[in-house]
Amino acid sequence: MLDQRLRTTSALFVVSDIVAIVLAFFAAWLLRFQWQVVPLEGDAPALGPYLHLLPVIVLVWPLVYYFHGLYQIRRGQSRIEEFSTLVVAQLLTTLLLAGFTAFYRPVLDPETAVLEGGVPFFTYSRAFMALFGACAIIAVTLGRLQLRAVLRWRRLRGHNIRRILVVGAGKVGREVAQRLVGHREYGFDVIGFADDNPALADKQFSGVPILGQLRDVTQLIQDENVDQVMIALPLEAHRKILRILDRVENECVEVRLVPSIYQYAALRAGLEDLDGIPILNLSQMPLAGWQSMGKRFMDLAVSAILMLLLLPVLPLVALAIWLEDRGPIFYKQERMGLDGRSFYILKLRSMRVNAEASTGPIWAIEDDPRRTRIGSFLRRTSIDELPQLWNVFKGEMSIVGPRPERPAFVDEFKHKIPNYMLRHRVKSGITGWAQVHGWRGNTSIRKRIQYDLYYIENWSLRLDVKILWMTLRQGWLKNAY
């Protein structure tokens, strides 16, 4: 029954994708040849030759999507992950179609074809191919979002529900149940726990009761029509885990294992292979490969454009700083960034020369008496942070990321705040998720860490753009400190 539901859901996505692709095909043709968003030389070709491509498209597109895992439907799957996979698959299919049309050249009426060697051949538009690729991404994405909305609507009304048995009612098991209960739209119904602790026998957690002990798992699967078993036992119970796996292997249920060390894998732990042995990497870089390249490209583009735009303004600001006390214009301060490596952050000087000579490193406060008059304005508007665009351009920082701290503060916080050093797994930024929510400067470090880790775990270029927009909307770099 479970496999049947999975096949039905996958089939719905295949149909949705095919419909979206066909609509994108005709949309691209209209954009290219009827509305001519790309200027057309000569008369528009007939639709007929392009219809020759439709059978190939309808056959190849779902196959490529299938091999990219787009029909392995997982409830609660990241939409960002799905979209990025879709873009890669669409680029590949568009290249395949372009390669196919390079060899497939139908012979047509000489008056509407390009003559090659005296033989009339029809030539397909490369602009059409590009428009079709873009339209397909949009159409397939919208189609999938609409289909998921329908499926979510049905699940909220009790249709297509998967019944879940959580094995283990300890801390991890209770958190799993709480998350599942809190997301009814995923279509999960947590029917109960199985646990050997007699003190929990009559208790409920998140409204989910204890149904029996571990030895009752097989019977509970049959009696309660369980679709999926989630094992959430501590590591010291590994013998019990093996016995449960042995018992349920002949049952028609899905089995998921929630490791009790998941709290240490906060930054997208990766599964690696060592000559056939699976290894869980708990220190995997959250931004790697294409993601890292995309973020770096955005950093280079944004920092270069902003530096060019600010070039006429910064000399005036520098002159105002120098005129007030004849001191240095720029201020360099050691900060800790990616992988705990130190670098020197660049700022426009907003405080008196040698402001920390007698105190050592201390937090800046509101209306800090160490500030100069022009420095107060610079700090209030965060203009003093603009030279960090050069740090971004050099690759020491990113436009968006956790704000870098001074080494003295890092040494203090890493011993007091759990997971503090995880924020150094990515490049520090001029602005960040914590800053746009008001956690900047001399505010709660724990809250800033909470927001920083959320950013790292949920990073996407879309989130970076959102943070940049929030930063600009709230004031020119107002939320950097």
Side-chain angles (χ1 to χ4, degrees):
M1 182 65 179
L2 182 60
D3 288 342
Q4 179 62 38
R5 290 205 299 264
L6 290 174
R7 285 195 295 269
T8 301
T9 304
S10 296
L12 288 174
F13 275 91
V14 172
V15 172
S16 171
D17 289 347
I18 291 176
V19 171
I21 291 165
V22 172
L23 291 176
F25 176 88
F26 288 106
W29 194 86
L30 289 172
L31 288 170
R32 178 67 182 99
F33 300 115
Q34 296 298 312
W35 301 327
Q36 297 187 21
V37 294
V38 179
L40 182 66
E41 295 181 2
D43 297 329
L47 177 61
Y50 283 87
L51 292 179
H52 295 182
L53 300 178
L54 265 182
V56 177
I57 290 171
V58 171
L59 176 65
V60 172
W61 258 242
L63 284 175
V64 175
Y65 284 8
Y66 171 80
F67 286 111
H68 277 79
L70 287 169
Y71 298 123
Q72 296 176 1
I73 309 303
R74 303 192 307 272
R75 304 188 185 194
Q77 180 182 14
S78 167
R79 300 295 177 267
I80 296 171
E81 178 186 350
E82 182 183 41
F83 179 76
S84 61
T85 303
L86 174 63
V87 171
V88 173
Q90 185 59 49
L91 290 174
L92 176 58
T93 48
T94 303
L95 289 174
L96 289 174
L97 184 62
F100 174 77
T101 56
F103 294 97
Y104 178 70
R105 312 286 288 279
V107 179
L108 298 172
D109 185 349
E111 294 182 0
T112 61
V114 177
L115 291 177
E116 293 186 3
V119 181
F121 286 94
F122 183 84
T123 301
Y124 290 100
S125 166
R126 287 174 292 181
F128 167 81
M129 300 294 176
L131 287 170
F132 174 50
C135 288
I137 291 175
I138 296 172
V140 171
T141 300
L142 292 176
R144 283 177 166 248
L145 288 174
Q146 186 63 34
L147 179 55
R148 288 187 184 278
V150 172
L151 292 173
R152 189 162 52 246
W153 179 82
R154 284 180 53 81
R155 290 166 186 158
L156 288 171
R157 282 153 183 79
H159 301 285
N160 193 19
I161 300 297
R162 293 189 190 177
R163 294 172 62 81
I164 309 294
L165 174 67
V166 179
V167 178
K171 180 180 178 182
V172 176
R174 293 198 296 270
E175 185 162 349
V176 168
Q178 182 182 9
R179 299 284 181 90
L180 293 175
V181 169
H183 290 280
R184 296 290 187 185
E185 71 275 12
Y186 292 162
F188 294 124
D189 179 19
V190 186
I191 56 101
F193 294 98
D195 196 282
D196 284 342
N197 188 345
L200 303 178
D202 298 322
K203 292 186 177 181
Q204 290 190 358
F205 301 99
S206 301
V208 179
I210 308 293
L211 297 180
Q213 297 181 337
L214 300 185
R215 64 171 179 266
D216 303 322
V217 167
T218 305
Q219 191 63 42
L220 289 172
I221 291 173
Q222 298 172 2
D223 294 345
E224 302 292 340
N225 295 320
V226 172
D227 296 310
Q228 187 177 117
V229 173
M230 283 202 172
I231 302 175
L233 293 172
L235 283 177
E236 56 267 24
H238 65 279
R239 292 185 182 275
K240 293 182 180 180
I241 294 174
L242 293 176
R243 284 199 295 269
I244 292 171
L245 291 174
D246 186 59
R247 289 173 183 171
V248 302
E249 67 177 357
N250 293 324
E251 302 293 334
C252 296
V253 295
E254 289 184 327
V255 181
R256 298 287 187 270
L257 177 65
V258 183
S260 60
I261 59 170
Y262 82 95
Q263 63 266 36
Y264 299 107
L267 301 184
R268 299 178 182 177
L271 188 64
E272 300 177 351
D273 177 86
L274 177 62
D275 195 22
I277 300 175
I279 298 176
L280 191 63
N281 182 353
L282 300 183
S283 56
Q284 178 171 283
M285 289 296 295
L287 306 181
W290 290 104
Q291 294 179 330
S292 178
M293 291 179 61
K295 186 171 177 63
R296 179 59 182 149
F297 177 79
M298 188 180 90
D299 286 340
L300 284 172
V302 173
S303 61
I305 291 171
L306 288 179
M307 283 192 293
L308 287 174
L309 293 176
L310 295 169
L311 197 58
V313 178
L314 286 180
L316 299 177
V317 178
L319 179 61
I321 295 171
W322 183 80
L323 287 175
E324 180 164 358
D325 61 5
R326 301 299 194 273
I329 295 168
F330 294 103
Y331 174 66
K332 294 173 68 175
Q333 190 178 73
E334 187 179 10
R335 298 289 179 102
M336 188 171 288
L338 178 65
D339 292 332
R341 294 194 299 266
S342 294
F343 69 99
Y344 283 91
I345 202 171
L346 195 61
K347 289 186 172 189
L348 291 169
R349 183 172 60 86
S350 61
M351 296 190 179
R352 300 190 308 270
V353 179
N354 298 323
E356 292 183 337
S358 60
T359 62
I362 59 173
W363 286 102
I365 60 175
E366 190 174 356
D367 298 326
D368 198 314
R370 299 173 297 167
R371 295 180 187 174
T372 61
R373 285 176 298 175
I374 184 64
S376 296
F377 171 76
L378 297 178
R379 295 280 292 188
R380 187 169 61 253
T381 58
S382 292
I383 292 176
D384 63 322
E385 307 287 351
L386 292 179
Q388 290 162 42
L389 292 169
W390 179 244
N391 291 109
V392 173
F393 191 80
K394 290 196 300 179
E396 296 170 332
M397 293 178 64
S398 177
I399 293 291
V400 180
R403 285 294 294 166
E405 295 285 6
R406 302 170 71 172
F409 296 143
V410 172
D411 288 338
E412 175 186 351
F413 297 146
K414 70 180 181 181
H415 298 297
K416 295 180 179 180
I417 302 174
N419 296 328
Y420 179 82
M421 294 303 290
L422 292 179
R423 68 199 304 274
H424 296 289
R425 301 278 296 284
V426 298
K427 285 183 181 178
S428 51
I430 297 179
T431 185
W433 189 240
Q435 282 67 48
V436 297
H437 286 86
W439 301 107
R440 58 190 177 92
N442 193 11
T443 56
S444 171
I445 297 298
R446 294 183 183 275
K447 274 292 185 180
R448 286 162 64 182
I449 295 301
Q450 178 183 336
Y451 279 83
D452 287 342
L453 294 183
Y454 174 88
Y455 167 77
I456 296 171
E457 292 175 11
N458 297 277
W459 177 86
S460 68
L461 287 177
R462 179 183 176 184
L463 181 57
D464 275 5
V465 172
K466 178 180 179 179
I467 292 171
L468 281 175
W469 169 245
M470 292 175 69
T471 300
L472 295 173
R473 187 181 64 186
Q474 295 171 9
W476 177 249
L477 295 180
K478 179 180 178 181
N479 292 299
Y481 70 83

